[in-house]
């Protein structure tokens, strides 16, 4: 994984312009590994990895049995990726990693609540779409597509395949649309994303880590505010509006 440190918002803008078509993820602390919420939960509370598949299957099964009571279209639960996206959206630990097609949305998520150096991870999705793991040329993006019936259970739940799929559910919810979101689905829960990508047959790294020093937070948040990137626009509901008020506290304009 290539690491780049920028020192100003303009430097980040210039760099992001060179990454056209990539996907991005912001993290508040540049020291945090690229692990899913499910990976973090299992590592913290359930160290017996032999039971992880069974526990993940049970969590999904329970969600499916009960979530239909709250959905206008419960048929969304039938598709594995759509079901996981719903779980993720409402706070359940899943094996999904939220990315966005906008480097600026990623920068917002990295910086808004940060109190130390943050990071934006950039994933070379144009190359990943055609890449395959070393020695497994059949593991193409289409072959491992978790939207295809049986693929999630056969290729992802076993936690034995060093594969990464990136894309969106067939039906996207409002938050995913507002955030220009895309989902990364790793085939392994006990490895961070950068370690899984090392198994791909690519001479150049598929992932860049862009470190955002805390000193550039102020100018960056003002620039994002001018671009209308706030919690209110990224979460188009009352919760998002309420969360955006914190940012309003920081914005003071000359009179």
């Amino acid at each position: 994984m290539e690491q780049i440190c920028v020192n100003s918002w303009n430097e980040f803008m210039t760099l992001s312009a060179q990454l056209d078509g990539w996907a991005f993820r912001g993290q508040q602390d540049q020291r945090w590994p690229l692990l899913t919420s499910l990976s973090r939960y299992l590592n913290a509370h359930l160290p017996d990895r032999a039971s992880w598949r069974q526990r993940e299957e049970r969590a999904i099964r329970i969600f499916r049995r009960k979530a239909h009571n709250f959905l206008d279209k419960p048929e969304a639960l039938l598709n594995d990726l759509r079901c996981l996206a719903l779980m993720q959206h409402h706070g359940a630990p899943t094996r999904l990693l939220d990315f966005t097609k906008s480097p600026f949305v990623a920068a917002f998520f990295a910086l808004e609540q940060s109190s130390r150096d943050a990071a934006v991870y950039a994933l070379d999705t144009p190359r990943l779409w055609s890449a395959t793991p070393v020695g497994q040329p059949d593991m193409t993006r289409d072959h491992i597509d978790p939207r295809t019936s049986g693929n999630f259970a056969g290729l992802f739940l076993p936690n034995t395949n060093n594969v990464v799929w990136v894309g969106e559910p067939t039906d996207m919810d409002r938050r995913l649309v507002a955030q220009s979101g895309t989902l990364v689905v790793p085939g392994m829960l006990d490895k961070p994303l950068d370690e899984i990508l090392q198994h791909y047959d690519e001479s150049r790294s598929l992932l860049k880590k862009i470190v955002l020093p805390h000193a550039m937070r102020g100018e960056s948040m003002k620039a994002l505010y001018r671009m209308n990137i706030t919690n209110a626009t990224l979460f188009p509901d009352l919760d998002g509006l309420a969360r955006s008020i914190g940012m309003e506290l920081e914005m003071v304009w000359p009179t």
Side-chain angles (χ1 to χ4, degrees), residues 118-179:
V120 167
Y121 289 88
L123 179 63
D124 190 347
T125 47
R127 283 172 53 223
L128 183 59
W129 273 47
S130 58
T132 57
V134 175
Q136 295 180 290
D138 58 320
M139 289 291 196
T140 63
R141 180 176 185 274
D142 288 339
H143 179 75
I144 67 173
D145 192 336
R147 298 172 300 188
T148 300
S149 179
N151 273 3
F152 183 72
L155 298 173
F156 291 89
L157 279 176
N159 294 311
T160 55
N161 291 309
N162 284 295
V163 296
V164 174
W165 186 89
V166 59
E168 301 85 47
T170 305
D171 298 316
M172 298 171 64
D173 61 38
R174 287 191 300 166
R175 288 188 180 181
L176 204 58
V177 172
Q179 297 168 13

Side-chain angles (χ1 to χ4, degrees), residues 23-108:
F24 306 88
R25 175 178 172 83
Q27 297 202 159
Q28 297 171 22
D29 191 327
Q30 65 93 12
R31 300 172 301 176
W32 292 348
L34 270 175
L35 288 169
T36 70
S37 57
L38 180 59
S39 297
R40 296 195 304 270
Y41 193 96
L42 292 172
N43 275 310
H45 304 294
L46 300 160
D48 177 16
R49 294 179 180 178
S51 70
W52 282 8
R53 172 173 182 162
Q54 180 183 7
R55 293 177 185 277
E56 184 180 9
E57 287 179 322
R58 180 174 180 271
I60 296 170
R61 185 168 63 250
I62 290 172
F63 186 81
R64 279 183 162 138
R65 287 173 55 195
K66 299 180 179 181
H68 68 89
N69 292 293
F70 309 102
L71 298 174
D72 294 331
K73 297 180 179 180
E75 60 271 17
L77 297 169
L78 298 176
N79 181 271
D80 290 321
L81 187 61
R82 184 74 179 98
C83 179
L84 288 173
L86 278 170
M87 293 174 69
Q88 179 97 337
H89 176 116
H90 292 283
T94 77
R95 70 165 60 228
L96 303 182
L97 273 172
D98 287 315
F99 273 69
T100 170
K101 297 173 183 176
S102 167
F104 310 120
V105 170
F108 176 85

Side-chain angles (χ1 to χ4, degrees), residues 7-8 111 114-118 212-220:
N7 295 302
S8 69
L111 294 169
S114 67
S115 58
R116 58 177 69 246
D117 293 352
L212 309 178
H214 186 63
M216 63 176 281
R217 181 187 178 278
E219 64 163 332
S220 303

Side-chain angles (χ1 to χ4, degrees), residues 195-247:
E195 286 190 23
I196 301 175
L197 290 172
Q198 289 176 10
H199 292 268
Y200 272 73
D201 193 11
E202 291 289 312
S203 57
R204 291 177 294 142
S205 174
L206 290 164
L207 190 68
K208 295 181 187 293
K209 178 182 179 180
I210 306 168
V211 178
L212 309 178
H214 186 63
M216 63 176 281
R217 181 187 178 278
E219 64 163 332
S220 303
M221 293 305 292
K222 285 186 177 180
L224 291 164
Y225 188 89
R226 294 188 188 100
M227 297 166 71
N228 199 31
I229 297 177
T230 70
N231 276 310
T233 56
L234 298 176
F235 299 91
D237 50 33
L238 187 58
D239 288 343
L241 174 61
R243 289 166 62 174
S244 73
I245 300 303
M247 191 170 176

